[in-house]
């Protein structure tokens, strides 16, 4: 679930572990949640707040609404069913808590950023991939969006960047894309060859 939010929603680790259950509104298009006017489908609210038990921080200046794709909605529903089996997790306001551990740890504690980093590292190792860290998933989202020519202002909002120039790191067009663009412009000016 954490990996899905990191990659499909381009979240930072601190944003994932800093989510409260009340921040996540997985409602159909056209529906709203009391107190939230957003009606464009499943989404979550990234709130700047203090007080995370493990010191996680969300760097956004204010509230950012992030659309949530349908596969992530399904994973979250599975997570909420699993969460019911974790002692002490029922009333915890944080969206993500730990499972019981092999050392007898009862689980139900809010996750910290280090634990999510370790989970991503473990998954990568198990898949035979070396040196993967959570922020790389965010970069994959940004690079994919840039390759799809998502408008700069839209990508700025999706990534929660203060400055549109922050996304320049994602905009590295390949030679093939540059050649294709040059042909398209010349076809528009001079007509197709």
């Amino acid at each position: 679930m954490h990996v899905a939010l990191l990659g499909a929603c381009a979240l930072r680790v601190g944003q994932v572990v800093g989510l409260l259950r009340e921040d996540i509104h997985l409602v159909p298009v056209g529906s709203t949640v009391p107190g939230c006017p957003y009606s464009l489908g499943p989404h979550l609210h990234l709130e700047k707040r203090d007080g995370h038990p493990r010191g996680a921080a969300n760097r956004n200046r204010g509230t950012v609404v992030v659309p949530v794709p349908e596969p992530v909605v399904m994973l979250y529903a599975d997570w909420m069913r699993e969460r019911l089996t974790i002692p002490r997790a029922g009333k915890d306001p944080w969206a993500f808590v730990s499972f019981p551990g092999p050392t007898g740890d009862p689980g139900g504690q809010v996750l910290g950023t280090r634990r999510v980093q370790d989970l991503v590292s473990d998954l990568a190792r198990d898949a035979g991939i070396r040196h993967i860290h959570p922020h790389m998933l965010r970069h994959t989202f940004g690079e994919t969006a840039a390759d799809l020519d998502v408008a700069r202002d839209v990508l700025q909002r999706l990534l929660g960047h203060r400055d549109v120039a922050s996304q320049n790191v994602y905009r590295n067009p390949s030679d093939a894309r540059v050649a294709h663009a040059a042909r398209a412009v010349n076809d528009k000016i001079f007509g197709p060859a």
Side-chain angles (χ1 to χ4, degrees):
M1 179 64 227
H2 312 92
V3 175
L5 285 171
L6 293 166
C9 297
L11 299 186
R12 295 177 178 98
V13 177
Q15 292 170 325
V16 171
V17 300
L19 284 169
L20 294 175
R21 289 187 294 171
E22 68 187 37
D23 297 334
I24 302 171
H25 302 163
L26 303 182
V27 296
V29 173
S31 297
T32 60
V33 171
C36 174
Y38 190 88
S39 64
L40 299 176
H43 63 282
L44 55 87
H45 297 265
L46 298 175
E47 300 277 346
K48 184 170 180 83
R49 65 171 63 92
D50 295 320
H52 188 275
R54 299 195 185 266
N58 176 356
R59 296 190 312 181
N60 292 42
R61 285 182 296 193
T63 301
V64 175
V65 176
V66 178
V68 176
E70 193 59 36
V72 177
V73 171
M74 303 300 286
L75 289 170
Y76 188 75
D78 288 344
W79 160 243
M80 291 308 290
R81 280 189 292 279
E82 277 189 82
R83 183 187 167 109
L84 293 172
T85 68
I86 301 172
R88 300 177 24 192
K91 295 187 190 257
D92 198 298
W94 300 99
F96 301 108
V97 296
S98 63
F99 282 102
T103 61
D105 181 351
Q109 294 85 18
V110 65
L111 291 182
T113 56
R114 185 71 200 153
R115 180 64 187 129
V116 174
Q117 291 166 344
D118 290 345
L119 288 168
V120 170
S121 182
D122 292 349
L123 288 169
R125 185 192 64 242
D126 293 348
I129 304 169
R130 5 180 314 227
H131 189 66
I132 297 291
H133 55 83
H135 206 72
M136 293 170 83
L137 301 170
R138 180 176 166 83
H139 279 270
T140 298
F141 182 98
E143 289 171 5
T144 302
D147 284 349
L148 293 170
D149 290 326
V150 170
R152 286 182 175 273
D153 58 337
V154 173
L155 186 53
Q156 180 182 6
R157 282 200 45 203
L158 282 170
L159 296 174
H161 286 156
R162 292 179 185 148
D163 183 359
V164 73
S166 296
Q167 67 187 264
N168 289 344
V169 69
Y170 306 120
R171 297 194 180 274
N172 299 309
S174 67
D175 291 343
R177 285 190 64 221
V178 172
H180 175 70
R183 282 192 299 276
V185 169
N186 283 301
D187 287 350
K188 184 72 172 172
I189 294 170
F190 301 112

